[in-house]
Amino acid sequence: MEVEQTALPGIGLRHDFTTQSGKRIGVVSHRTGRRDLVVYDREDPDRACEVVKLNDEEADALVELLGAPRIVQRLNQAHQEVEGLVSLQLPIPPTSPYVNRPMGDARVRTRTNASIVAIVRAGQVFASPGPDFMLASGDIVVVVGSADTTSDVAHILAEG
Amino acid sequence: MHHTAILFLEVGAVLLGLGVLGALALRAGISPIPLYLIAGLAFGTGGVLPLATSEEFISVGAEMGVVLLLLTLGLEYNADELVTSLKSNARAGIVDLVANAAPGAICALLLGWGPVAAVAMAGVTYATSSGITAKVLSDLGWIGNRETPTVLSLLVFEDLTMAVYLPILTALLAGLSLVSGAVTVAIALGTVSVVLVVALRFGRFIEAFVSSPNNEVLLLKIVGLALLVAGIAQQLQVSAAVGAFLVGIALSGQLAHDAQALLSPLRDLFAAVFFVFFGLQTDPVKILPVAGLAALLALISMITKLMTGIYAARRAGIAKAGQARAGIALIPRGEFNIVIAGLAVAAGVHPDLGPLAAAYVLILAAFGPLAAKAVQPLIENIAKRA
């Protein structure tokens, strides 16, 4: 797939590409932070027949919707490719002792050698969370390590 | 009545009137520029409500308006964009220059106004209003279109041409001899290249000096710097407008973006004053005799712009419908044309030049955006047939 980048002097940048089904779509990034999602006309390939104006917040939301499952999926694929490395998605139960506590309190790395690489909350991915990241009930912790160490992490997050 | 009281009454009434006209323009979906010009005609000599004391204030405000217009225009582009567009679109840019400067120049020569007026009129018909065109593109949802980069780079090319053209015009209008005129133009070109190089290589130093987390400080520094450079440029006969434009180009990135947001209310105020001032200087009675000529000139230069857009878009591999859109987007004329005519009027080139330019811009600033809207369905037909 080839993404074409075009400068729009005074406005910003445009990226566009053709999907497998033959639709041409693009994103105009204004310098003001506004994003336009554009869909090109089949009959008149130069015309944007549909323009969706997105503000910062809306653009972020769209990125999350399109990106979050993909990132987790890709993480899993990447780790499955390395033998002996396991990636698990562990939900934080409401009964976990770490609900509403910073992630660092669990000292996962020191105790198990496994790493927490991301936290998924309400469909949003927080990649490489720091030790002061506050865990909440319902968060999904993406942990990478060996089969043993990752199951240790599951135990720690559930019971302390 | 006290002098200050009259001044406030007049300026207040003018600005309030412009506000009301602006609201009307917004509702009709046209640029407010033609309405501002009409307001100026009404308040000026021979108008219905001639102003008594505020003309001097308005004339200074108008000068500030030109500086701010050009400063914010310069802020829109950074030096990289200018150089890239110069390299990749030089050919279309030159076609644009030749095809659209010709109608004005030929018109002035046929009328027997002389070579200096011909150079001024060439500028009046040449420059597309980047402000109005940008608004047309955004209003009609054409920004994402594939012909839009072509249109925008033509606008960049025109603006850059202005940086060379304005000093030449200023020198000619000042009636300098061939030698001192050549020196002035050389100074101008030198300054433009130096500023471009400085902006490309050392832009961050200027930015470090100007930038400030405080909006008030930033505003004062930028306006101060722009006026200072504009003053120096004027003194060197390079034209104040070009000085301000170059200051805008030298600033880029986040700083330029912040500055633009800060300056735009100030620019809107003084630019409106500028259009009124141009109207003030023009006697409405003199417009009628040149109205037919202005309409003819508008028609011819609409066609030449349309052709330019089609040519440039075809070179960029755009299909027929897109070519037509590129041409139509380029039709509106506005602020630059009035800036150029204003310089010529101030130098007293020919008494009919002001009224002709005013009528010409009135037509194209109002008609350009409307034309774009009106032909939209027609263009869709072209696309279906193709």
Side-chain angles (χ1 to χ4, degrees):
Chain A
M1 193 184 88
E2 241 178 73
V3 180
E4 214 176 293
Q5 177 186 320
T6 318
L8 300 174
I11 293 176
L13 272 181
R14 190 190 71 207
H15 291 92
D16 57 62
F17 63 89
T18 309
T19 64
Q20 215 161 26
S21 60
K23 265 273 182 195
R24 193 157 187 92
I25 58 174
V27 172
V28 179
S29 317
H30 294 250
R31 288 203 191 125
T32 53
R34 189 180 116 190
R35 299 282 181 274
D36 291 347
L37 182 67
V38 292
V39 180
Y40 292 94
D41 200 339
R42 268 182 205 269
E43 282 172 346
D44 176 359
D46 304 314
R47 186 174 83 102
C49 62
E50 205 59 70
V51 181
V52 185
K53 289 178 190 170
L54 302 169
N55 63 21
D56 284 356
E57 208 183 330
E58 293 154 353
D60 282 346
L62 190 63
V63 166
E64 278 152 22
L65 289 174
L66 292 173
R70 289 278 304 137
I71 291 174
V72 174
Q73 205 179 327
R74 255 191 268 162
L75 263 178
N76 285 344
Q77 278 171 356
H79 292 127
Q80 273 157 12
E81 281 160 19
V82 184
E83 219 174 318
L85 203 57
V86 175
S87 143
L88 281 185
Q89 294 178 35
L90 305 168
I92 303 261
T95 53
S96 165
Y98 297 106
V99 167
N100 296 329
R101 281 175 61 191
M103 196 186 84
D105 282 6
R107 296 191 297 119
V108 164
R109 180 112 176 178
T110 347
R111 285 159 73 186
T112 67
N113 275 329
S115 303
I116 293 178
V117 295
I119 287 169
V120 184
R121 176 179 295 166
Q124 195 173 353
V125 175
F126 297 90
S128 332
D132 49 357
F133 188 93
M134 295 296 283
L135 294 174
S137 164
D139 282 358
I140 292 171
V141 175
V142 183
V143 58
V144 174
S146 71
D148 286 346
T149 57
T150 48
S151 72
D152 287 349
V153 178
H155 184 76
I156 290 174
L157 292 179
E159 285 158 37
Chain B
M1 243 191 297
H2 194 264
H3 176 77
T4 315
I6 301 174
L7 181 72
F8 283 176
L9 281 172
E10 284 188 356
V11 173
V14 169
L15 292 181
L16 190 64
L18 293 183
V20 173
L21 288 174
L24 284 178
L26 212 60
R27 191 162 297 173
I30 59 169
S31 156
I33 293 175
L35 296 183
Y36 293 164
L37 284 174
I38 292 174
L41 291 174
F43 292 128
T45 35
V48 275
L49 281 170
L51 296 176
T53 58
S54 51
E55 240 194 283
E56 192 185 340
F57 173 81
I58 289 181
S59 105
V60 175
E63 300 281 345
M64 293 270 295
V66 174
V67 167
L68 289 169
L69 265 174
L70 272 284
L71 172 64
T72 48
L73 186 73
L75 284 173
E76 272 181 30
Y77 308 123
N78 55 44
D80 283 333
E81 283 176 348
L82 291 180
V83 173
T84 322
S85 130
L86 201 59
K87 274 185 195 152
S88 56
N89 288 291
R91 206 146 141 191
I94 288 166
V95 169
D96 180 26
L97 174 63
V98 174
N100 295 291
I106 292 171
C107 168
L109 289 176
L110 286 179
L111 290 171
W113 288 0
V116 176
V119 173
M121 282 304 294
V124 170
T125 54
Y126 165 55
T128 292
S129 162
S130 42
I132 301 179
T133 294
K135 197 161 175 312
V136 166
L137 292 175
S138 128
D139 285 353
L140 297 177
W142 288 0
I143 288 181
N145 285 8
R146 306 221 302 154
E147 74 276 2
T148 296
T150 312
V151 173
L152 292 174
S153 50
L154 276 180
L155 294 181
V156 176
F157 191 91
E158 287 189 2
D159 294 337
L160 208 54
T161 311
M162 279 299 129
V164 179
Y165 169 83
L166 284 177
I168 296 177
L169 181 68
T170 315
L172 285 172
L173 290 174
L176 298 179
S177 69
L178 198 62
V179 176
S180 55
V183 169
T184 308
V185 170
I187 291 176
L189 293 181
T191 321
V192 172
S193 357
V194 166
V195 168
L196 276 182
V197 169
V198 167
L200 277 172
R201 295 270 162 81
F202 309 104
R204 58 181 193 283
F205 293 113
I206 306 172
E207 279 166 33
F209 167 69
V210 176
S211 79
S212 160
N214 184 309
N215 280 346
E216 195 179 330
V217 175
L218 184 62
L219 181 71
L220 291 174
K221 274 185 177 172
I222 291 182
V223 174
L225 187 65
L227 286 177
L228 201 65
V229 174
I232 296 171
Q234 187 72 26
Q235 192 57 38
L236 294 172
Q237 306 266 20
V238 177
S239 147
V242 169
F245 179 62
L246 293 177
V247 170
I249 287 174
L251 304 174
S252 63
Q254 187 57 38
L255 178 64
H257 182 219
D258 292 347
Q260 228 178 340
L262 273 178
L263 287 170
S264 60
L266 204 60
R267 178 207 51 200
D268 292 345
L269 176 65
F270 285 104
V273 169
F274 164 71
F275 294 121
V276 170
F277 178 67
F278 185 79
L280 280 182
Q281 290 175 305
T282 313
D283 188 344
V285 182
K286 290 193 182 138
I287 284 197
L288 270 184
V290 293
L293 183 62
L296 182 67
L297 196 58
L299 185 69
I300 292 171
S301 59
M302 260 172 71
I303 295 169
T304 51
K305 268 292 178 202
L306 198 63
M307 291 318 211
T308 307
I310 290 173
Y311 169 78
R314 186 184 296 154
R315 263 174 55 89
I318 302 294
K320 280 216 170 81
Q323 293 170 14
R325 277 194 301 269
I328 285 159
L330 287 169
I331 288 175
R333 313 293 210 278
E335 59 277 14
F336 256 144
N337 320 77
I338 295 291
V339 169
I340 294 163
L343 288 173
V345 169
V349 170
H350 192 278
D352 280 346
L353 195 147
L356 179 63
Y360 174 79
V361 171
L362 273 177
I363 295 168
L364 285 182
F367 188 66
L370 290 178
K373 251 176 242 174
V375 296
Q376 179 114 319
L378 204 74
I379 293 176
E380 276 163 29
N381 276 337
I382 300 180
K384 286 207 181 99
R385 259 185 287 139

